Coordinates of all heavy atoms in Angstrom, one line a residue:
M9 N -28.7 -71.9 -5.3 CA -29.1 -72.3 -3.9 C -29.0 -71.1 -3.0 O -28.1 -70.2 -3.1 CB -28.0 -73.3 -3.5 CG -28.4 -73.8 -2.1 SD -27.6 -75.4 -1.8 CE -27.6 -75.4 0.0
G10 N -30.0 -70.9 -2.2 CA -30.1 -69.7 -1.4 C -29.3 -69.8 -0.1 O -28.7 -70.8 0.2
T11 N -29.3 -68.7 0.6 CA -28.6 -68.6 1.8 C -29.6 -68.6 3.0 O -30.8 -68.4 2.8 CB -27.8 -67.3 1.9 OG1 -28.7 -66.2 1.7 CG2 -26.8 -67.2 0.8
T12 N -29.1 -68.8 4.1 CA -30.0 -68.8 5.3 C -29.7 -67.6 6.2 O -28.5 -67.3 6.4 CB -29.7 -70.1 6.2 OG1 -30.1 -71.3 5.4 CG2 -30.5 -70.1 7.5
V13 N -30.7 -66.9 6.5 CA -30.6 -65.7 7.3 C -31.3 -65.9 8.6 O -32.4 -66.5 8.7 CB -31.3 -64.5 6.5 CG1 -31.2 -63.2 7.3 CG2 -30.7 -64.4 5.1
E14 N -30.7 -65.4 9.7 CA -31.2 -65.6 11.0 C -32.1 -64.5 11.5 O -31.7 -63.3 11.3 CB -30.0 -65.8 12.0 CG -29.0 -66.8 11.6 CD -29.0 -68.0 12.5 OE1 -29.9 -68.1 13.3 OE2 -28.1 -68.9 12.3
V15 N -33.2 -64.8 12.1 CA -34.0 -63.8 12.8 C -34.1 -64.3 14.3 O -34.5 -65.5 14.5 CB -35.4 -63.7 12.2 CG1 -36.3 -62.8 13.1 CG2 -35.3 -63.1 10.8
M16 N -33.7 -63.5 15.2 CA -33.8 -63.9 16.6 C -35.1 -63.4 17.2 O -35.6 -62.3 16.8 CB -32.6 -63.2 17.4 CG -31.3 -63.7 17.0 SD -31.1 -65.4 17.1 CE -29.8 -65.8 16.0
I17 N -35.6 -64.2 18.1 CA -36.8 -63.8 18.8 C -36.3 -63.6 20.3 O -35.9 -64.5 20.9 CB -37.9 -64.9 18.8 CG1 -38.2 -65.4 17.4 CG2 -39.2 -64.3 19.4 CD1 -39.2 -66.5 17.3
E18 N -36.3 -62.3 20.6 CA -35.7 -61.9 21.9 C -36.4 -60.7 22.5 O -36.7 -59.8 21.8 CB -34.2 -61.6 21.7 CG -33.4 -61.5 23.0 CD -31.9 -61.4 22.7 OE1 -31.5 -61.1 21.6 OE2 -31.2 -61.7 23.7
D19 N -36.7 -60.8 23.8 CA -37.3 -59.6 24.5 C -38.7 -59.3 23.8 O -39.0 -58.2 23.7 CB -36.4 -58.4 24.5 CG -35.2 -58.6 25.3 OD1 -35.2 -59.4 26.3 OD2 -34.2 -58.0 25.0
F20 N -39.4 -60.4 23.4 CA -40.7 -60.2 22.8 C -40.7 -59.4 21.6 O -41.6 -58.6 21.3 CB -41.7 -59.7 23.9 CG -42.0 -60.6 25.0 CD1 -41.1 -60.8 26.0 CD2 -43.1 -61.4 25.0 CE1 -41.3 -61.7 27.1 CE2 -43.4 -62.3 26.0 CZ -42.5 -62.5 27.1
K21 N -39.6 -59.6 20.8 CA -39.5 -58.9 19.5 C -38.8 -59.8 18.5 O -38.0 -60.7 18.9 CB -38.6 -57.6 19.6 CG -39.3 -56.5 20.4 CD -38.3 -55.3 20.4 CE -38.8 -54.3 21.5 NZ -37.7 -53.8 22.3
F22 N -39.2 -59.6 17.2 CA -38.4 -60.3 16.2 C -37.3 -59.3 15.8 O -37.5 -58.1 15.5 CB -39.3 -60.5 15.0 CG -40.5 -61.5 15.3 CD1 -41.8 -61.0 15.4 CD2 -40.2 -62.8 15.4 CE1 -42.8 -61.9 15.7 CE2 -41.3 -63.7 15.7 CZ -42.6 -63.2 15.8
A23 N -36.1 -59.8 15.7 CA -34.9 -59.0 15.3 C -34.1 -59.7 14.2 O -33.6 -60.8 14.4 CB -34.1 -58.8 16.6
P24 N -34.0 -59.0 13.1 CA -34.6 -57.7 12.7 C -36.1 -57.9 12.5 O -36.6 -59.0 12.1 CB -33.9 -57.3 11.5 CG -33.5 -58.5 10.8 CD -33.2 -59.5 11.9
K25 N -36.8 -56.8 12.7 CA -38.3 -56.9 12.6 C -38.7 -57.0 11.1 O -39.6 -57.7 10.8 CB -38.9 -55.6 13.2 CG -40.4 -55.4 13.1 CD -40.8 -54.1 13.7 CE -42.1 -53.7 13.3 NZ -43.2 -54.0 14.2
E26 N -37.9 -56.3 10.3 CA -38.2 -56.4 8.8 C -36.9 -56.9 8.2 O -35.8 -56.5 8.5 CB -38.6 -55.1 8.3 CG -38.8 -55.1 6.8 CD -39.3 -53.7 6.2 OE1 -40.3 -53.2 6.7 OE2 -38.6 -53.2 5.3
I27 N -37.1 -57.9 7.3 CA -35.9 -58.5 6.7 C -36.2 -58.7 5.2 O -37.3 -59.0 4.8 CB -35.5 -59.8 7.4 CG1 -34.1 -60.2 7.0 CG2 -36.5 -60.9 7.2 CD1 -33.5 -61.2 8.0
R28 N -35.1 -58.4 4.4 CA -35.2 -58.5 2.9 C -34.4 -59.6 2.4 O -33.2 -59.6 2.7 CB -34.7 -57.1 2.4 CG -35.3 -56.7 1.1 CD -34.9 -55.2 0.9 NE -35.8 -54.3 1.4 CZ -36.9 -53.8 0.7 NH1 -37.1 -54.2 -0.5 NH2 -37.7 -53.0 1.3
I29 N -34.9 -60.5 1.7 CA -34.2 -61.7 1.2 C -34.5 -61.9 -0.3 O -35.4 -61.2 -0.8 CB -34.5 -63.0 2.0 CG1 -36.0 -63.3 1.9 CG2 -34.1 -62.8 3.4 CD1 -36.3 -64.7 2.5
S30 N -33.9 -62.9 -0.9 CA -34.2 -63.2 -2.3 C -34.9 -64.5 -2.4 O -34.8 -65.4 -1.5 CB -32.9 -63.3 -3.1 OG -32.2 -62.1 -3.1
V31 N -35.6 -64.7 -3.5 CA -36.3 -66.0 -3.7 C -35.3 -67.1 -3.6 O -34.2 -67.0 -4.1 CB -37.0 -66.0 -5.1 CG1 -37.4 -67.4 -5.5 CG2 -38.2 -65.1 -5.1
G32 N -35.7 -68.1 -2.8 CA -34.8 -69.3 -2.6 C -34.0 -69.2 -1.3 O -33.4 -70.2 -0.9
D33 N -34.1 -68.1 -0.6 CA -33.4 -67.9 0.7 C -34.3 -68.5 1.8 O -35.5 -68.6 1.6 CB -33.1 -66.5 1.0 CG -31.9 -65.9 0.1 OD1 -31.3 -66.7 -0.6 OD2 -31.7 -64.7 0.2
T34 N -33.6 -68.8 2.8 CA -34.3 -69.4 4.0 C -34.1 -68.5 5.2 O -33.1 -67.9 5.4 CB -33.6 -70.8 4.4 OG1 -33.8 -71.7 3.2 CG2 -34.2 -71.4 5.6
I35 N -35.2 -68.4 5.9 CA -35.1 -67.6 7.2 C -35.2 -68.7 8.3 O -36.0 -69.6 8.3 CB -36.3 -66.7 7.4 CG1 -36.3 -65.7 6.3 CG2 -36.2 -66.0 8.8 CD1 -36.2 -64.3 6.6
K36 N -34.3 -68.5 9.3 CA -34.3 -69.4 10.5 C -34.5 -68.5 11.7 O -33.7 -67.6 12.0 CB -32.9 -70.1 10.6 CG -32.8 -71.0 11.8 CD -31.4 -71.6 11.9 CE -31.3 -72.5 13.1 NZ -29.9 -72.8 13.3
W37 N -35.7 -68.8 12.3 CA -36.1 -68.1 13.5 C -35.6 -68.9 14.7 O -35.9 -70.1 14.7 CB -37.6 -67.9 13.6 CG -38.2 -66.9 12.7 CD1 -38.5 -65.6 13.0 CD2 -38.7 -67.1 11.4 NE1 -39.1 -65.0 11.9 CE2 -39.3 -65.9 10.9 CE3 -38.8 -68.2 10.6 CZ2 -39.9 -65.8 9.7 CZ3 -39.4 -68.1 9.3 CH2 -39.9 -66.9 8.9
T38 N -35.0 -68.2 15.7 CA -34.7 -68.9 16.9 C -35.2 -68.1 18.1 O -35.0 -66.9 18.2 CB -33.1 -69.0 17.0 OG1 -32.6 -69.8 15.9 CG2 -32.7 -69.8 18.3
N39 N -35.9 -68.8 19.0 CA -36.4 -68.2 20.2 C -35.4 -68.2 21.3 O -35.0 -69.2 21.8 CB -37.7 -68.9 20.7 CG -38.2 -68.3 21.9 OD1 -37.9 -67.1 22.2 ND2 -39.1 -69.0 22.6
L40 N -35.0 -67.0 21.7 CA -34.0 -66.8 22.8 C -34.7 -66.5 24.1 O -34.0 -66.4 25.2 CB -33.0 -65.7 22.4 CG -32.2 -66.0 21.1 CD1 -31.3 -64.8 20.9 CD2 -31.4 -67.3 21.2
D41 N -36.0 -66.3 24.1 CA -36.7 -66.0 25.3 C -37.1 -67.2 26.1 O -37.2 -68.3 25.5 CB -38.0 -65.2 25.0 CG -37.8 -63.7 24.7 OD1 -36.7 -63.2 25.1 OD2 -38.7 -63.1 24.1
S42 N -37.3 -67.0 27.4 CA -37.8 -68.1 28.2 C -39.3 -68.4 27.9 O -39.8 -69.5 28.0 CB -37.7 -67.8 29.7 OG -36.4 -67.7 30.1
A43 N -40.0 -67.3 27.4 CA -41.4 -67.4 27.0 C -41.5 -68.1 25.7 O -40.6 -68.0 24.8 CB -42.0 -66.1 26.9
P44 N -42.5 -68.9 25.4 CA -42.7 -69.5 24.1 C -43.2 -68.5 23.1 O -43.9 -67.5 23.5 CB -43.8 -70.6 24.4 CG -44.6 -70.1 25.5 CD -43.6 -69.3 26.4
H45 N -42.8 -68.7 21.9 CA -43.3 -67.8 20.8 C -43.6 -68.6 19.5 O -43.1 -69.8 19.4 CB -42.2 -66.7 20.5 CG -41.9 -65.8 21.6 ND1 -42.8 -64.9 22.1 CD2 -40.7 -65.6 22.3 CE1 -42.2 -64.2 23.0 NE2 -41.0 -64.6 23.2
T46 N -44.2 -68.0 18.6 CA -44.4 -68.5 17.3 C -44.0 -67.5 16.2 O -43.9 -66.3 16.5 CB -45.9 -69.0 17.0 OG1 -46.6 -67.8 16.6 CG2 -46.5 -69.7 18.1
A47 N -43.8 -67.9 15.0 CA -43.6 -67.1 13.9 C -44.7 -67.6 12.9 O -44.5 -68.7 12.3 CB -42.3 -67.1 13.2
T48 N -45.8 -66.8 12.8 CA -47.0 -67.3 12.1 C -47.4 -66.3 11.0 O -47.8 -65.2 11.4 CB -48.1 -67.5 13.1 OG1 -47.7 -68.4 14.1 CG2 -49.3 -68.1 12.4
D49 N -47.4 -66.7 9.8 CA -47.7 -65.8 8.7 C -49.2 -65.5 8.7 O -50.1 -66.3 9.0 CB -47.4 -66.5 7.3 CG -47.7 -65.6 6.2 OD1 -47.0 -64.6 5.9 OD2 -48.7 -65.9 5.5
N50 N -49.5 -64.2 8.4 CA -50.9 -63.8 8.5 C -51.8 -64.4 7.4 O -53.0 -64.4 7.5 CB -51.0 -62.2 8.3 CG -50.4 -61.5 9.6 OD1 -50.2 -62.1 10.6 ND2 -50.2 -60.2 9.4
N51 N -51.1 -64.9 6.3 CA -51.9 -65.5 5.2 C -51.6 -67.0 5.1 O -51.7 -67.6 4.0 CB -51.5 -64.8 3.9 CG -52.0 -63.4 3.9 OD1 -53.2 -63.1 4.2 ND2 -51.1 -62.4 3.7
N52 N -51.2 -67.6 6.2 CA -51.0 -69.1 6.3 C -49.9 -69.7 5.4 O -50.0 -70.8 5.0 CB -52.4 -69.8 6.0 CG -53.5 -69.4 7.0 OD1 -53.2 -69.3 8.2 ND2 -54.6 -69.1 6.5
N53 N -49.0 -68.8 5.1 CA -47.9 -69.4 4.2 C -46.8 -70.2 5.1 O -46.1 -71.0 4.5 CB -47.1 -68.2 3.5 CG -48.0 -67.6 2.5 OD1 -48.5 -68.3 1.5 ND2 -48.3 -66.3 2.6
F54 N -46.8 -69.8 6.4 CA -45.9 -70.6 7.2 C -46.4 -70.5 8.7 O -47.0 -69.5 9.0 CB -44.4 -70.2 7.1 CG -44.1 -68.8 7.4 CD1 -43.9 -68.4 8.7 CD2 -44.1 -67.9 6.4 CE1 -43.6 -67.0 9.0 CE2 -43.8 -66.5 6.6 CZ -43.6 -66.1 7.9
D55 N -46.0 -71.4 9.5 CA -46.4 -71.4 10.9 C -45.3 -72.2 11.7 O -45.2 -73.4 11.4 CB -47.8 -71.9 11.2 CG -48.2 -71.8 12.6 OD1 -47.4 -71.3 13.4 OD2 -49.3 -72.3 12.9
S56 N -44.6 -71.6 12.5 CA -43.6 -72.3 13.3 C -44.1 -73.3 14.3 O -43.4 -74.2 14.7 CB -42.6 -71.4 14.0 OG -43.4 -70.7 15.0
G57 N -45.4 -73.1 14.7 CA -45.9 -73.7 15.9 C -45.1 -73.1 17.1 O -44.3 -72.2 16.9
T58 N -45.4 -73.6 18.3 CA -44.8 -73.1 19.5 C -43.3 -73.4 19.6 O -43.0 -74.6 19.5 CB -45.5 -73.6 20.7 OG1 -46.9 -73.2 20.6 CG2 -45.0 -73.0 22.0
L59 N -42.5 -72.4 19.7 CA -41.1 -72.6 19.9 C -40.7 -72.3 21.3 O -40.9 -71.2 21.8 CB -40.3 -71.6 19.0 CG -40.5 -71.7 17.5 CD1 -39.8 -70.6 16.8 CD2 -40.0 -73.1 17.0
A60 N -40.2 -73.3 22.0 CA -39.7 -73.1 23.4 C -38.3 -72.4 23.3 O -37.7 -72.3 22.2 CB -39.6 -74.4 24.1
K61 N -37.8 -72.0 24.4 CA -36.4 -71.4 24.4 C -35.4 -72.3 23.7 O -35.3 -73.5 24.0 CB -36.0 -71.1 25.9 CG -34.7 -70.4 25.9 CD -34.4 -70.0 27.4 CE -33.1 -69.1 27.3 NZ -32.8 -68.6 28.7
G62 N -34.7 -71.7 22.8 CA -33.6 -72.4 22.1 C -34.1 -73.2 20.9 O -33.2 -73.6 20.1
E63 N -35.4 -73.2 20.7 CA -35.9 -73.9 19.5 C -35.9 -73.0 18.3 O -36.0 -71.8 18.4 CB -37.3 -74.5 19.7 CG -37.2 -75.6 20.7 CD -38.6 -76.3 20.9 OE1 -39.6 -75.7 20.8 OE2 -38.6 -77.6 21.1
S64 N -35.8 -73.6 17.1 CA -35.7 -72.9 15.8 C -36.7 -73.4 14.8 O -37.2 -74.6 15.0 CB -34.3 -73.0 15.2 OG -33.3 -72.4 16.0
F65 N -37.0 -72.6 13.9 CA -37.9 -72.9 12.8 C -37.4 -72.3 11.5 O -37.0 -71.1 11.5 CB -39.3 -72.4 13.0 CG -40.2 -72.5 11.8 CD1 -40.8 -73.7 11.4 CD2 -40.6 -71.3 11.1 CE1 -41.6 -73.7 10.3 CE2 -41.4 -71.3 10.0 CZ -41.9 -72.6 9.6
S66 N -37.3 -73.1 10.4 CA -36.8 -72.6 9.2 C -37.8 -72.6 8.1 O -38.6 -73.6 8.1 CB -35.6 -73.4 8.7 OG -34.5 -73.2 9.6
M67 N -37.8 -71.6 7.2 CA -38.8 -71.6 6.1 C -38.0 -71.0 4.9 O -37.3 -70.0 5.0 CB -39.9 -70.6 6.5 CG -40.7 -70.1 5.4 SD -41.9 -71.3 4.8 CE -42.5 -70.5 3.3
T68 N -38.1 -71.8 3.8 CA -37.5 -71.3 2.5 C -38.6 -70.7 1.7 O -39.7 -71.3 1.5 CB -36.9 -72.5 1.8 OG1 -35.9 -73.2 2.6 CG2 -36.3 -72.1 0.5
F69 N -38.3 -69.5 1.2 CA -39.3 -68.7 0.5 C -39.1 -68.8 -1.0 O -38.0 -68.4 -1.5 CB -39.2 -67.2 0.9 CG -39.7 -67.0 2.3 CD1 -38.8 -67.2 3.4 CD2 -41.0 -66.6 2.5 CE1 -39.3 -67.0 4.7 CE2 -41.4 -66.4 3.8 CZ -40.6 -66.6 4.9
E70 N -40.0 -69.4 -1.7 CA -39.9 -69.7 -3.2 C -40.7 -68.7 -4.0 O -40.6 -68.7 -5.2 CB -40.4 -71.1 -3.5 CG -39.7 -72.2 -2.7 CD -38.2 -72.4 -3.1 OE1 -37.7 -71.7 -4.0 OE2 -37.5 -73.2 -2.5
E71 N -41.4 -67.8 -3.3 CA -42.2 -66.8 -4.1 C -42.0 -65.4 -3.6 O -42.0 -65.2 -2.4 CB -43.7 -67.1 -4.0 CG -44.1 -68.4 -4.8 CD -45.6 -68.5 -4.9 OE1 -46.3 -67.5 -5.1 OE2 -46.1 -69.6 -4.7
A72 N -41.7 -64.5 -4.5 CA -41.5 -63.1 -4.1 C -42.8 -62.6 -3.5 O -43.9 -63.0 -3.8 CB -41.2 -62.3 -5.4
G73 N -42.6 -61.6 -2.6 CA -43.8 -61.0 -2.0 C -43.4 -60.5 -0.6 O -42.3 -60.6 -0.2
T74 N -44.4 -59.9 0.0 CA -44.2 -59.4 1.4 C -45.1 -60.3 2.3 O -46.2 -60.5 2.1 CB -44.7 -57.9 1.5 OG1 -43.9 -57.1 0.6 CG2 -44.6 -57.4 2.9
Y75 N -44.4 -60.8 3.3 CA -45.0 -61.7 4.2 C -45.0 -61.1 5.6 O -44.0 -60.9 6.3 CB -44.2 -63.0 4.3 CG -44.1 -63.8 3.0 CD1 -43.2 -63.4 2.0 CD2 -45.0 -64.9 2.7 CE1 -43.2 -64.0 0.8 CE2 -44.9 -65.6 1.5 CZ -44.0 -65.1 0.5 OH -44.0 -65.8 -0.7
D76 N -46.2 -60.7 6.1 CA -46.3 -60.2 7.4 C -46.7 -61.3 8.4 O -47.5 -62.2 8.0 CB -47.5 -59.1 7.5 CG -47.1 -57.9 6.7 OD1 -46.0 -57.4 6.9 OD2 -47.9 -57.4 5.9
Y77 N -46.0 -61.3 9.5 CA -46.3 -62.4 10.4 C -46.3 -61.9 11.9 O -45.9 -60.8 12.1 CB -45.2 -63.5 10.3 CG -43.8 -63.2 10.6 CD1 -43.3 -63.4 11.9 CD2 -42.9 -62.5 9.7 CE1 -42.0 -63.1 12.3 CE2 -41.7 -62.2 10.1 CZ -41.2 -62.5 11.3 OH -39.9 -62.1 11.7
I78 N -46.8 -62.7 12.7 CA -46.9 -62.4 14.1 C -46.6 -63.6 15.0 O -46.4 -64.7 14.5 CB -48.4 -62.0 14.5 CG1 -49.3 -63.2 14.3 CG2 -48.8 -60.7 13.8 CD1 -50.7 -63.0 14.9
C79 N -46.5 -63.3 16.3 CA -46.5 -64.4 17.3 C -47.9 -64.6 17.7 O -48.5 -63.7 18.2 CB -45.6 -64.1 18.5 SG -45.8 -65.2 19.8
T80 N -48.5 -65.8 17.5 CA -49.9 -66.0 17.9 C -50.1 -65.9 19.4 O -51.2 -65.7 19.8 CB -50.4 -67.3 17.3 OG1 -49.6 -68.4 17.8 CG2 -50.4 -67.3 15.8
I81 N -49.1 -66.1 20.2 CA -49.2 -66.1 21.6 C -49.2 -64.6 22.1 O -49.9 -64.3 23.1 CB -48.1 -66.9 22.3 CG1 -48.2 -68.4 21.8 CG2 -48.2 -66.9 23.8 CD1 -46.9 -69.2 22.1
H82 N -48.4 -63.8 21.4 CA -48.3 -62.4 21.7 C -48.5 -61.6 20.4 O -47.5 -61.2 19.8 CB -46.9 -62.1 22.3 CG -46.5 -63.1 23.4 ND1 -45.6 -64.1 23.1 CD2 -46.8 -63.1 24.7 CE1 -45.4 -64.8 24.3 NE2 -46.1 -64.2 25.2
P83 N -49.8 -61.4 20.1 CA -50.0 -60.8 18.7 C -49.5 -59.4 18.4 O -49.4 -59.0 17.3 CB -51.6 -60.9 18.6 CG -52.0 -61.8 19.7 CD -51.0 -61.7 20.8
Y84 N -49.0 -58.8 19.5 CA -48.4 -57.5 19.3 C -47.0 -57.6 18.7 O -46.4 -56.7 18.3 CB -48.4 -56.7 20.6 CG -47.7 -57.4 21.7 CD1 -46.3 -57.4 21.9 CD2 -48.5 -58.1 22.6 CE1 -45.7 -58.1 23.0 CE2 -47.9 -58.8 23.7 CZ -46.5 -58.8 23.8 OH -45.9 -59.5 24.9
M85 N -46.5 -58.8 18.7 CA -45.1 -59.1 18.1 C -45.3 -59.3 16.6 O -46.0 -60.2 16.2 CB -44.5 -60.4 18.7 CG -44.2 -60.3 20.2 SD -43.6 -61.9 20.8 CE -42.2 -62.2 19.8
K86 N -44.8 -58.4 15.9 CA -45.0 -58.4 14.4 C -43.6 -58.4 13.7 O -42.7 -57.8 14.2 CB -45.8 -57.2 14.0 CG -47.2 -57.2 14.6 CD -48.0 -55.9 14.1 CE -49.4 -56.1 14.2 NZ -50.1 -55.6 15.4
G87 N -43.6 -59.0 12.5 CA -42.4 -59.0 11.7 C -42.8 -59.1 10.2 O -44.0 -59.4 9.9
T88 N -41.9 -58.7 9.4 CA -42.1 -58.7 7.9 C -40.9 -59.4 7.2 O -39.8 -59.0 7.5 CB -42.4 -57.3 7.4 OG1 -43.4 -56.7 8.1 CG2 -42.7 -57.3 5.9
V89 N -41.2 -60.2 6.3 CA -40.2 -60.8 5.4 C -40.6 -60.3 4.0 O -41.7 -60.5 3.5 CB -40.2 -62.3 5.4 CG1 -39.2 -62.8 4.4 CG2 -40.0 -62.9 6.8
I90 N -39.6 -59.6 3.4 CA -39.8 -59.1 2.0 C -38.9 -60.0 1.1 O -37.7 -60.0 1.3 CB -39.4 -57.6 1.9 CG1 -40.3 -56.8 2.8 CG2 -39.5 -57.2 0.4 CD1 -39.8 -55.4 3.0
V91 N -39.5 -60.7 0.2 CA -38.8 -61.6 -0.7 C -38.8 -61.0 -2.1 O -39.8 -60.8 -2.7 CB -39.5 -63.0 -0.7 CG1 -38.7 -64.0 -1.6 CG2 -39.7 -63.6 0.7
E92 N -37.5 -60.8 -2.5 CA -37.4 -60.1 -3.8 C -37.0 -61.2 -4.9 O -36.2 -62.1 -4.6 CB -36.3 -59.1 -3.7 CG -36.7 -58.0 -2.8 CD -35.7 -56.9 -2.6 OE1 -34.5 -57.2 -2.5 OE2 -36.0 -55.7 -2.6
A93 N -37.5 -61.0 -6.1 CA -37.3 -62.0 -7.2 C -35.8 -61.9 -7.6 O -35.2 -60.9 -7.4 CB -38.2 -61.7 -8.3
Ligands
CU130 CU1 -44.6 -64.6 21.5

């Protein structure tokens, strides 16, 4: 069973911007900004939808790989999840 790792969305950034986890782990994104944000994978592997302040989205990664994602509302917000086997 995997662990859950937190990524904060704060000041129009994902923190940490790059995160390394193992297969079976879960990332939980939480939006701390007043502005709405999303965490949306560039290859459609996950999409949080719009997260208002205080809302969270969790995704469990079952396949190794590198997942680049953005906020679709502010596409300059970029993050990477590296999932190791
Ligand atoms: Cu955003």
Side-chain angles (χ1 to χ4, degrees):
M9 183 157 158
T11 57
T12 297
V13 182
E14 305 248 10
V15 173
M16 296 301 156
I17 311 175
E18 190 170 22
D19 296 331
F20 292 78
K21 288 180 197 135
F22 297 105
K25 178 180 164 95
E26 180 177 301
I27 194 159
R28 209 169 268 271
I29 60 171
S30 298
V31 167
D33 287 351
T34 298
I35 303 240
K36 181 183 178 191
W37 287 267
T38 302
N39 181 17
L40 301 179
D41 280 344
S42 297
H45 296 297
T46 79
T48 306
D49 179 73
N50 291 346
N51 295 305
N52 302 315
N53 293 299
F54 60 86
D55 183 4
S56 67
T58 301
L59 299 174
K61 183 173 187 176
E63 290 187 326
S64 295
F65 168 74
S66 293
M67 163 77 188
T68 301
F69 291 81
E70 302 292 359
E71 288 192 42
T74 299
Y75 299 78
D76 291 315
Y77 66 94
I78 61 166
C79 169
T80 57
I81 302 166
H82 314 99
Y84 55 86
M85 294 175 60
K86 294 183 163 95
T88 303
V89 178
I90 298 166
V91 182
E92 297 177 317

